[in-house]
Every structure is written in C-alpha cells, then in structure tokens.
Amino acid sequence: MGKALGVEAKSVPAPDEDAATISVMAARRALARSSIDPGEIGAIFVGSESHPYAVKPTATIVSAAIGATPVMTGADLEFACKAGTAGFQSCLGLVNSDDGQIPIRCALAIGADTSQGAPGNALEYSASAGGVAFIVGREDVIAEVGLTMSYTTDTPDFWRREGMKYPSHAERFTGVPAYFKHVEMGARQIMERMGTKASDYDYAVFHQPNGKFPLKISKSLGFNREQILAGLWTPRIGNTYSASMMMGLAGILDVARPGEKILAVSYGSGAGSDGFHLEVTDLISEYPRSKAPLVSEAAANGIEIDYATYSKFRKKLKMEGE
Amino acid sequence: MAVARHWRNQDQRYNLAGTRCKVCGGHFFPKTSMCPSCHRRSLGKLERFQFSGNGTISSFTIIHEGMPQYSSQVPYVIAYIDLEEGDHIIGQIVDSEPSEVEIGKKVEMVFRKLSEEGRSGTIQYGFKFRLTP
C-alpha cells in the first residue's frame, strides 16, 4: 500500500501532542526566526481538521502560549487540507488593509493536524501529523505574495460527520473531479492572471495527499521533477493535512534564493484550492534559518515505532480504565 | 473549580513564567511574592520573568506505574532540571527512550498536553522537556 501511494513513512503524534501543541511549537519556531515582538501580532488563524475542542479555539491557546494576547483577534478554520492556507489568505487581507480601519500589521497563519484514518483504510497509510506557521506582514518580508486566488465547488470527495472519529472518502472519486480539477484550475488561473508559464517558476508545490498525486498534477501542468522536489514531503512524513502544502512551501523557503519564483497551490476536500504566486526577496539572504529546525531536519528527527505503539498513541486501543 | 485553578496557572505552565528579584537578580519558579534571599527588601521589587526553557538534568526517575492518564506513555521519565537562569524545576522528559536520559544532559522546553478533565472537560497544556538535539 505504501508503494502504491508513494509514501515511505508518516509522522505520528506522541500521546501528549495534538493540533494545539503542534501549532504552538510551529508558532514559537516562526517567532524564533523573527525579531517581532509577539505583542505586535494582531491576528492568529489556525487551520485544522483535528482541533482538540469542537467548541473553544485552538487560536487562543496559541495566542497565550506565545504571548500575543490580549489586543488581537483569532479564529479556528476548517476546510479539510486547505484550512491553513485559508488562514494565510485571511492574514494577507488583514495586514494589507487600511491601517485606520484594521490596525493589524502582522498576523500568524498556522496549518496543523493530527489526522486519523480508520484501521485498514488507505487513509491510515498516509494521514500523519505536523504543523507550519507563517508570519504574515508588510515589513522584513522574505517572500512576497504577488497574487492569491481560490477555486471552490461543492464536491463531496472526503468528509467526517460530527462526532465520528474517522473520516470517509469517495474512493476513486476523490481523484479526477476533486483533487486534480481543483488544483489544476487553481494553478492555471494564477498563471493566467500573472502571465506566467510553468518554466517561469523555480519551484512549485501542490497539496500532497499521497506521494503520487503531486507528481501527476505537476507533470500535467508542465513542471519538472526538479521544480517540485524541494517541496515534496509527503513521501517522507505522510500527509500532514492542513500543513501539507505549507510544509512544502516551508521546505522551499529553507533553500530558496533571492529573486526565485514559487507557485503554491493547496487543496481541501469539499472542495477547493488556494493558489499563491510568490517571489523570494533579497532579505532571505539575512533570514536566520538556523534559529529553528529546517523542514529536512525536523523530518529526519523521528523515532521509528511499531504498529502496536502507534495504535496505543492514536487511541486505537482501549487501555485499562478507559 | 478545576477550570479556574488551571486557568490561573496558564502563564507559568504555558510560558515558564516565574519571578525575578530586582534587588539580588535571582530568578524563581514558580512565581513568588517575596524573594527567599532578600525577604522584605524585595517587596515591590519583583517582576515577571520568562525562563528560556533551557536547562540541565540534575536527577531523574523512570516511572513504570504512572497515573491512569499517562498509561499510554509508560515508561516515562520525570526529571529534576537546573534551569539556565537559575532555580530548578520538575518536568517530564519526552521524545526519547528512558535509556537515553542521563544526568548532565541538556534539555529544552516543549509545549505538550499535561492532562484532561475526562472526555468532556477541559484540556490542560503546559511545559515538558526534551533532550536538546
């Protein structure tokens, strides 16, 4: 199954980790690389399909844990695997608005998940855990967003009903009318509006539900393997859901140089895609990457566990007293 | 009642917030209303201080029969840690096998789930530690 999906390994959260703890760690690492006072952060959006509470924001936990409270706003977002980039877009809107109307100069967009797949289901091979945080602002920018556009339809390819532990998916239906259509349209409308073609980009990253879909979509859009390799992480850590495309983008920013162009397209079942055209600025040369682990370092820092331990960690086994 | 008690401890648990005495420069965890060295002289001269979370293991024990909420984590390590800025703290060491933990090894703070009030109650978060890579 792992070979069929193109996934060699997946990350698993420890028993004391959830989307909130992962969000906090991602936010703290983002701040470690920045000179921003947490009190300057005016908004925090946390995108996830595995928020620990049904009612009570993950965003407030993150806010308190990084010292951003109280003069700020925050919210939890849900749109399957693209909730993190929906938050990214919301941050862009806020920080680029008129100062007099919305005085927010800096915001935090987080995508984090500890997703589950039912035992034996194909999703169990790929659903993993991870988180990424981007600081969005107008000063000291290392990558400028030139354009962001979304493509959204009502397509029921993957869902989880209220109260259900595991999600369901529509088997092969999740491919062509869902992932491929939305990612392709999301990418094409960005390139059309920007007047760019695949060869104009140094890097491209697409949502990675498995290791094969991003390879297939990138090929059909005209991108070669070299352009997507830096952002391709699902084969090594699984599908981190809301963090998936953002993880790829973070991996690209770990190696990107001034002037390079990036096309990034997320995908969320249900369904929609968020596309971004980014250009790396000269400030990336001074960006203190070493103050937090690179994606490659974090991905290499794992401990291999067996299925019994995995089952215990993910509460698939009922323990004594439960 | 438990919700309010945990909420009052959020700053120290989330951010390792303690106290600094402006008279002697000492750092204390948890927060204190009087410096144990300067006593009355410290009144009105204490300020919030956020520890970096970096420290060194000075002692530890391995728990094999833990509390019910930690049953999925046994065996786990509880360590006595000398914080970089001063004072000591007791915390769980995560993300490593107990056999990797040794006195003198450096640790850093991580943010983790500490406990939860049953399946419908609140979740408590706060500091734990892991070996510094």
Side-chain angles (χ1 to χ4, degrees):
Chain A
M1 181 65 86
K3 200 171 178 183
L5 293 170
V7 178
E8 297 160 16
K10 71 167 196 169
S11 57
V12 176
D16 57 357
E17 287 185 297
D18 60 22
T21 66
I22 290 172
S23 296
V24 169
M25 293 305 290
R28 285 181 175 171
R29 286 178 175 183
L31 286 166
R33 286 180 174 178
S34 144
S35 55
I36 289 169
D37 175 350
E40 293 175 37
I41 295 171
I44 296 178
F45 295 107
V46 183
S48 180
E49 63 121 64
S50 48
H51 290 290
Y53 287 96
V55 178
K56 193 208 171 302
T58 305
T60 58
I61 299 168
V62 177
S63 310
I66 62 170
T69 51
V71 184
M72 56 158 296
T73 186
D76 289 358
L77 302 176
E78 191 279 314
F79 195 145
C81 295
K82 83 164 190 79
T85 56
F88 191 3
Q89 289 178 322
S90 302
C91 290
L92 285 168
L94 287 174
V95 302
N96 288 314
S97 66
D98 176 11
D99 276 352
Q101 194 180 26
I102 306 176
I104 291 177
R105 301 184 65 78
C106 177
L108 198 56
I110 300 172
D113 259 310
T114 57
S115 302
Q116 288 260 37
N121 190 290
L123 282 175
E124 196 186 23
Y125 289 84
S126 58
S128 68
V132 175
F134 288 139
I135 297 170
V136 184
R138 281 184 277 176
E139 291 155 20
D140 300 330
V141 173
I142 59 164
E144 192 121 24
V145 178
L147 176 69
T148 178
M149 292 175 75
S150 297
Y151 185 87
T152 307
T153 70
D154 185 12
T155 306
D157 59 319
F158 172 95
W159 63 91
R160 180 167 62 83
R161 294 279 300 275
E162 183 68 42
M164 297 302 289
K165 183 171 182 176
Y166 300 119
S168 304
H169 58 93
E171 307 287 344
R172 288 182 181 276
F173 180 70
T174 59
V176 174
Y179 176 87
F180 289 107
K181 177 183 172 186
H182 291 78
V183 174
E184 180 172 347
M185 295 306 289
R188 289 201 188 283
Q189 66 185 8
I190 289 281
M191 290 193 282
E192 192 177 322
R193 181 71 71 97
M194 291 302 298
T196 52
K197 52 189 184 301
S199 58
D200 293 328
Y201 291 94
D202 298 282
Y203 302 101
V205 56
F206 306 103
H207 172 57
Q208 300 158 31
N210 52 53
K212 294 205 164 171
F213 278 22
L215 293 176
K216 193 172 173 184
I217 190 71
S218 57
K219 195 175 176 186
S220 71
L221 285 165
F223 292 93
N224 60 44
R225 200 175 168 80
E226 283 65 43
Q227 288 169 293
I228 66 161
L229 219 51
L232 190 63
W233 288 98
T234 286
R236 292 173 62 183
I237 60 172
N239 177 11
T240 52
Y241 279 59
S242 295
S244 175
M245 184 280 261
M246 295 171 76
M247 190 75 72
L249 182 53
I252 289 169
L253 292 172
D254 281 346
V255 297
R257 290 171 298 188
E260 292 186 322
K261 292 187 178 65
I262 305 165
L263 177 69
V265 185
S266 65
Y267 170 72
S269 290
S273 65
D274 298 330
F276 299 84
H277 170 100
L278 298 109
E279 292 190 37
V280 181
T281 71
D282 292 343
L283 286 177
I284 196 97
S285 308
E286 301 159 26
Y287 185 57
R289 288 168 170 143
S290 63
K291 289 196 172 177
L294 304 175
V295 174
S296 57
E297 291 168 340
N301 195 24
I303 302 168
E304 204 167 294
I305 58 172
D306 57 23
Y307 192 81
T309 307
Y310 164 78
S311 302
K312 196 168 68 169
F313 280 12
R314 301 305 284 134
K315 298 189 186 301
K316 291 174 191 288
L317 293 176
K318 285 281 184 191
M319 303 299 286
E320 188 180 359
E322 287 185 335
Chain B
M1 288 298 286
V3 173
R5 183 166 60 85
H6 293 304
W7 174 73
R8 288 190 192 102
N9 286 328
Q10 264 181 15
D11 194 29
Q12 76 180 44
R13 284 184 175 170
Y14 282 18
N15 297 311
L16 220 55
T19 303
R20 190 181 87 90
C21 174
K22 288 194 268 189
V23 179
C24 69
H27 299 96
F28 308 103
F29 186 90
K31 285 179 183 173
T32 179
S33 54
M34 187 181 284
C35 172
S37 302
C38 304
H39 305 292
R40 285 177 60 196
R41 286 185 295 130
S42 68
L43 292 177
K45 291 172 182 171
L46 296 172
E47 62 181 4
R48 178 186 181 277
F49 177 78
Q50 188 164 329
F51 287 81
S52 65
N54 297 323
T56 307
I57 296 173
S58 61
S59 185
F60 70 94
T61 186
I62 302 170
I63 309 287
H64 291 274
E65 293 287 339
M67 294 188 298
Q69 290 210 6
Y70 284 68
S71 61
S72 64
Q73 298 178 47
V74 290
Y76 60 89
V77 175
I78 297 292
Y80 193 66
I81 295 158
D82 296 336
L83 293 170
E84 198 171 68
E85 300 88 347
D87 216 342
H88 320 280
I89 195 169
I90 292 174
Q92 186 182 347
I93 307 294
V94 295
D95 293 352
S96 54
E97 295 294 331
S99 58
E100 296 174 69
V101 177
E102 291 172 14
I103 291 172
K105 280 198 169 176
K106 301 281 184 194
V107 294
E108 62 184 14
M109 183 184 71
V110 291
F111 186 84
R112 293 296 172 89
K113 191 158 74 175
L114 302 178
S115 59
E116 52 189 74
E117 303 284 311
R119 289 174 59 84
S120 60
T122 56
I123 304 167
Q124 287 78 50
Y125 295 97
F127 61 82
K128 291 187 181 182
F129 294 86
R130 71 172 164 213
L131 300 178
T132 307

